[in-house]
Amino acid sequence: MQQISRSDRCRPDAENNPAHSVEQSNSRPLASASAAHNATLENTPNRQLSVMTLHRKLVVLALIPLIFAAIPAVMLVKKTQNAVQEMDGLGTLSNLVWKMAAVERCLDEEADNWYMFRREHDNDPKELLTAARVRQDTARVATDKALADYDLLLKTTDSAKFPPEIKTVLDSVAQDRGQLRPIRDLLYTKHTDKDSEHIEAYYLAIRAKLGSVLALLIDQTTDPVILRKLQTLSKTITLRKCFMEAGRKLFWGLQTYNATKSMIPKEHISTLARNVQAAGDGWKDALAFSQGATREKLRAYDARFQAALDPLKMFVVTLTGDQPPPILVQSQWDVHYDFVDVDFGKFVGSLRDDFMASCALTRANLVRQRNLTLAGLALGTA
C-alpha cells in the first residue's frame, strides 16, 4: 500500500478533489460582480455631488444678471420713496404755513386801522369812529378764528416732523400771543404816540415771525420745479407785504398832514425805506424766478406796480425833508394800494393754489414710478 505524506494530506488538490475545483471556479464571477457593485456604490455620492454642484453653478450664473439688474432698481425705489416722503413732509409744512399766513392776514387787518383810535381822532365824525370800531372788532373775531384753526392743526400734527428752525419760530409765536389781549386793550384807550409805537411794533414783530416760516419751507424740498414755484410764491408774498406796510405809512402821513399840517415821526423813515426797497427788489426776484404763464402775468402787472411804487419812493424823500406827502387825496392813493392788496393779492392766491396742486401731482407721479419699479423688480425675480 502506498503511504501519503502529512503535507500532502493537508494541501487540497484539485486533481484529487474535483468538486472543490468546480466550487472555486464558480466563486470567481461572484467576487467580480460584488466588487463592481461595491465600486458603483462608492462612486454614486461623488456623481450626485457633481450634479448638485453643476446645478448650483447654473443658479448662480442665472442670479448674477438679476442681481446686477436689481441693484439700480432697488436704488431707484429707495430714491423715489425718499422723494415721496419729502413731498409728504412738504405737504404737512405747507398746511402749517397757510394756517400761519391766515393768522398773519387777520392780524394785518387788525393793525390796518389802529391809528383811528389815537387821540387826534377824538373829534372825527361819530359815524366814522363807529365804522372804525366795527371794522376793528370784526378783524379781531376773524383773528381768533384763524388762531383756533392754527391751534387745531398743531394738535393734530406730529411736531417731530417739524425742522428745528420752524419749532423755534412756533415757540416764539406762542410767547407773543400772550401779549395780544393787552395790546388790543391798549389800542382802545386813545393811546399816545409812545403807545402807538408799541402797538405797531408788536403787530409787525408777530406778523414777521408768522411770515418767516414760508422762507424756511424752501429748504424742505429738492425738486427743482417745486422749488422754483415756491421761491416765486415766497417773493410775491413778501413784496406784497412790504408794499402794504409802506403804503400804510403813506396813508397815515397824508391823514396826519391833512388834519394837522404836520408830519409823522421821522423814526419811521428807516422802516419805510426798508419796506420800499424790499418791495422793489422782491418784484425783480419774482420776475427772475417765475416761468411761463406766471412770468407773463407779472410782466403784465409791471407797469401798474411801478406806478404804485413811485409815490412810496417819493414819500421817503418828502418825509426826510419835512415836506408834505406826495399824495394828499386819499382816493388817489387808494387806487394804488387796492391794486396791490386786492388784484395782486388774488394773483398771489392763485400761485399758492398752483404750488399745492404741483406738490400733489409730483407726489402722485413719484408713487406711480415707485410702484411700477417694484412691480418690475418682482416680475424679474419671479
Side-chain angles (χ1 to χ4, degrees):
M1 177 182 295
Q2 185 180 359
Q3 293 187 357
I4 301 173
S5 68
R6 184 179 298 176
S7 60
D8 289 337
R9 287 197 207 109
C10 295
R11 183 175 65 242
D13 189 4
E15 296 176 355
N16 297 329
N17 192 354
H20 178 75
S21 177
V22 171
E23 181 181 353
Q24 187 176 16
S25 67
N26 289 338
S27 66
R28 288 173 184 170
L30 291 175
S32 300
S34 176
H37 178 68
N38 290 337
T40 302
L41 291 177
E42 290 176 358
N43 292 332
T44 297
N46 293 332
R47 189 174 302 170
Q48 290 177 345
L49 181 62
S50 177
V51 171
M52 291 177 63
T53 303
L54 178 61
H55 180 264
R56 289 173 183 172
K57 289 180 179 180
L58 291 175
V59 171
V60 171
L61 290 175
L63 284 178
I64 288 176
L66 289 177
I67 292 174
F68 279 100
I71 289 175
V74 171
M75 293 177 63
L76 179 59
V77 169
K78 183 178 180 180
K79 179 181 178 181
T80 307
Q81 179 61 22
N82 290 338
V84 171
Q85 292 176 346
E86 178 185 295
M87 287 295 108
D88 289 339
L90 190 62
T92 300
L93 290 176
S94 296
N95 290 331
L96 174 66
V97 169
W98 308 146
K99 294 297 183 184
M100 297 178 75
V103 174
E104 182 189 1
R105 285 194 298 271
C106 291
L107 289 172
D108 180 42
E109 182 65 20
E110 278 193 37
D112 197 38
N113 73 336
W114 59 267
Y115 56 87
M116 289 298 298
F117 305 97
R118 286 170 54 87
R119 290 176 180 173
E120 63 261 26
H121 288 279
D122 284 347
N123 297 324
D124 285 0
K126 183 179 180 179
E127 60 274 12
L128 185 63
L129 294 176
T130 300
R133 181 65 182 248
V134 170
R135 181 183 177 190
Q136 179 66 210
D137 289 341
T138 302
R140 293 182 180 188
V141 171
T143 299
D144 292 340
K145 184 181 183 303
L147 284 170
D149 293 340
Y150 165 71
D151 291 338
L152 180 61
L153 179 65
L154 287 180
K155 290 179 181 178
T156 56
T157 304
D158 184 7
S159 61
K161 297 180 179 180
F162 299 148
E165 300 85 355
I166 293 181
K167 289 182 181 179
T168 301
V169 175
L170 297 180
D171 292 340
S172 183
V173 169
Q175 289 182 339
D176 288 350
R177 284 179 61 180
Q179 306 175 36
L180 180 58
R181 185 174 294 278
I183 288 293
R184 286 174 168 178
D185 294 340
L186 179 62
L187 189 144
Y188 278 155
T189 60
K190 300 298 181 183
H191 49 273
T192 62
D193 287 345
K194 185 176 181 180
D195 294 332
S196 296
E197 293 175 6
H198 180 55
I199 292 170
E200 183 184 24
Y202 170 78
Y203 278 113
L204 287 174
I206 190 171
R207 287 177 54 222
K209 292 174 184 178
L210 288 166
S212 66
V213 181
L214 179 62
L216 298 176
L217 191 62
I218 294 175
D219 297 331
Q220 307 308 312
T221 181
T222 57
D223 185 278
V225 175
I226 298 297
L227 178 61
R228 201 173 187 94
K229 290 189 175 186
L230 187 55
Q231 288 172 325
T232 303
L233 176 62
S234 175
K235 293 297 181 181
T236 54
I237 290 176
T238 301
L239 75 89
R240 177 174 174 264
K241 181 168 61 177
C242 290
F243 178 95
M244 294 175 67
E245 289 293 344
R248 291 192 185 97
K249 292 289 193 302
L250 176 54
F251 181 74
W252 180 23
L254 70 88
Q255 288 236 328
T256 301
Y257 185 82
N258 287 335
T260 64
K261 302 302 179 187
S262 61
M263 313 299 173
I264 63 174
K266 281 194 172 184
E267 54 262 30
H268 294 283
I269 293 177
S270 59
T271 303
L272 172 66
R274 185 167 57 251
N275 281 325
V276 172
Q277 184 67 41
D281 292 343
W283 186 265
K284 295 176 183 177
D285 291 341
L287 280 169
F289 284 120
S290 61
Q291 290 181 320
T294 300
R295 177 174 290 181
E296 293 303 316
K297 190 69 173 180
L298 285 171
R299 285 175 175 171
Y301 277 149
D302 186 64
R304 293 183 67 184
F305 180 79
Q306 299 303 330
L309 193 63
D310 286 341
L312 293 178
K313 294 178 179 179
M314 294 173 61
F315 185 45
V316 175
V317 176
T318 58
L319 185 58
T320 303
D322 287 324
Q323 299 174 4
I327 294 179
L328 295 176
V329 179
Q330 180 177 332
S331 60
Q332 294 178 356
W333 174 240
D334 287 345
V335 173
H336 299 305
Y337 188 86
D338 289 345
F339 160 69
V340 176
D341 182 23
V342 180
D343 296 345
F344 189 69
K346 292 179 181 178
F347 172 68
V348 172
S350 69
L351 293 182
R352 188 190 74 174
D353 294 341
D354 177 65
F355 165 72
M356 294 299 292
S358 297
C359 287
L361 179 61
T362 300
R363 186 189 184 282
N365 290 335
L366 288 170
V367 169
R368 183 166 56 253
Q369 180 181 354
R370 179 199 62 190
N371 293 343
L372 288 174
T373 305
L374 284 173
L377 188 59
L379 290 173
T381 56

